[in-house]
Amino acid sequence: MTIAFYIASGIAVLSSLMVISRKNAFSALLYMIISLLSVAVIFFILGSPFVAALEVIIYAGAIMVLFVFVTMMLNLGEEAEKQENTWLHPRTWIGPSILAIILGILSLMIITSAQSGFLSGSEIGPKEVGIALYGKYIIGVELAAMLITAGILGAYHLGKRKNTVMHRYLQDTEGGNL
Amino acid sequence: MINIPLEHALVVASLLFMIGLAGTLIRKNLIYILLSVEIMLNAAGFAFVVAGAHWMQADGQVMFIFILTMAAAEVSVGLALILRIYHNLKTMNADEVSNIKPD
C-alpha cells in the first residue's frame, strides 16, 4: 500500500503537468480526470474512503462533465489549436514557470524543515465524517447551502439567452438583442 | 497498514498547487485557467485530508467537502461566464476581456 501511494502521487503530478501543457482542450480534460482519480486513490490509501468516493462522484463525475459539456458546446476545432500554438510561446510561459518553481522549492524547504510524524492510514469512515459535518459544522453546511443557491441563480442569470428575433417586423423597438 | 511520512504527502499537495498556479499564470485560454484553478482547489483539499489523516480526526474530510461545494458553485458560475464571453467576443483569450468598456 505504501508503494501504491507513491505511484498514485507520481501519476497525479504528471497528469496535472499534462493538463496545463496540452493544446487540445479535450486531452487536457481527460488528463484532469486521470489526475482526480489518482488523488482519489491517495485518499483511499490514507484511510478516507468517503472523501475518495466524493472525489470520484462529484469532481470527476459532475464538475468534469460540466467542463466537457461546455467544451463540446463551444466546438473549438482546429483553429483553436493553432491559436494555442501562438499563445503558448516559450517567451510567455518561461517567466511564470520559473517563479512558480522557486515558490515550490521554498514551500518544499518549509515542509521538510520540520520533523513531523507518520501517516498510519487508519480508517475514518463516513459515520465520523457525518457526525462532525452535521454536529459542530452545521453552520458551515447552512452557509454552503446559501452559496449553492447563489451559484444556481448566478449561473441561471448568466446563461439565460435573450430570445433572438428573426424577423425585423417583430423586432422590439427599444430592445436590441445582445 | 501504511507508513508514509507526513512530509511526503504534503510535498505532493504543494507540487499540485504549484502546477495549478503555473497553469493559471501561463495559459491565455479561459477554460485552461478555470481548470488550473480546479487543480489548485483540489491540492488545497488534499492537504486538508492529509492533515485530517495525520491527527485521525474527521475535520479534514469535512473541510474537503466544503471545498468541493465551493468548487462546484465556482465552476458553474465560471463556465456560464465563459459561455457569455465567448458569445459576445467570439474569443477565449483572457486578454481580450480587459478591452470591455462600460457603456
Side-chain angles (χ1 to χ4, degrees), chain B residues 4 11 20 25 34 36-37 48 53 78-79 88 96 101 103:
Chain B
I4 298 163
V11 161
L25 293 174
L34 209 57
S36 307
V37 171
F48 269 114
L79 284 175
N88 287 352
E96 298 276 327
K101 291 191 191 74
D103 291 326

Side-chain angles (χ1 to χ4, degrees), chain B residues 29-46:
Chain B
N29 195 323
L30 284 165
I31 283 188
Y32 288 93
I33 293 176
L34 209 57
L35 263 179
S36 307
V37 171
E38 284 306 302
I39 296 177
M40 285 202 284
L41 283 173
N42 194 36
F46 181 66

Side-chain angles (χ1 to χ4, degrees), chain A residues 6 20 55 84 119 137, chain B residues 4 8 27 29 59 64 84:
Chain A
Y6 291 105
I20 65 165
E55 176 101 4
E84 286 293 328
L119 296 167
Y137 288 107
Chain B
I4 298 163
H8 291 190
R27 298 308 294 244
N29 195 323
D59 304 56
F64 182 84
R84 202 58 184 271

Side-chain angles (χ1 to χ4, degrees), chain A residues 97-110, chain B residues 18 21:
Chain A
S97 320
I98 289 172
L99 292 180
I101 288 169
I102 292 170
L103 261 176
I105 291 169
L106 275 180
S107 68
L108 294 193
M109 279 166 65
I110 293 168
Chain B
M18 285 306 151
L21 179 66

Side-chain angles (χ1 to χ4, degrees), chain B:
Chain B
M1 274 296 151
I2 55 168
N3 205 15
I4 298 163
L6 177 65
E7 298 92 42
H8 291 190
L10 287 178
V11 161
V12 174
S14 72
L15 274 179
L16 284 176
F17 190 86
M18 285 306 151
I19 290 169
L21 179 66
T24 316
L25 293 174
I26 68 178
R27 298 308 294 244
K28 277 191 180 178
N29 195 323
L30 284 165
I31 283 188
Y32 288 93
I33 293 176
L34 209 57
L35 263 179
S36 307
V37 171
E38 284 306 302
I39 296 177
M40 285 202 284
L41 283 173
N42 194 36
F46 181 66
F48 269 114
V49 173
V50 167
H54 181 238
W55 281 291
M56 289 184 229
Q57 296 287 321
D59 304 56
Q61 298 187 43
V62 170
M63 212 50 80
F64 182 84
I65 292 170
F66 289 149
I67 289 175
L68 200 70
T69 317
M70 201 269 289
E74 177 249 334
V75 158
S76 61
V77 176
L79 284 175
L81 267 174
I82 284 179
L83 278 179
R84 202 58 184 271
I85 286 168
Y86 189 74
H87 193 73
N88 287 352
L89 301 179
K90 300 282 178 251
T91 179
M92 298 298 285
N93 191 347
D95 293 344
E96 298 276 327
V97 187
S98 61
N99 293 332
I100 295 178
K101 291 191 191 74
D103 291 326

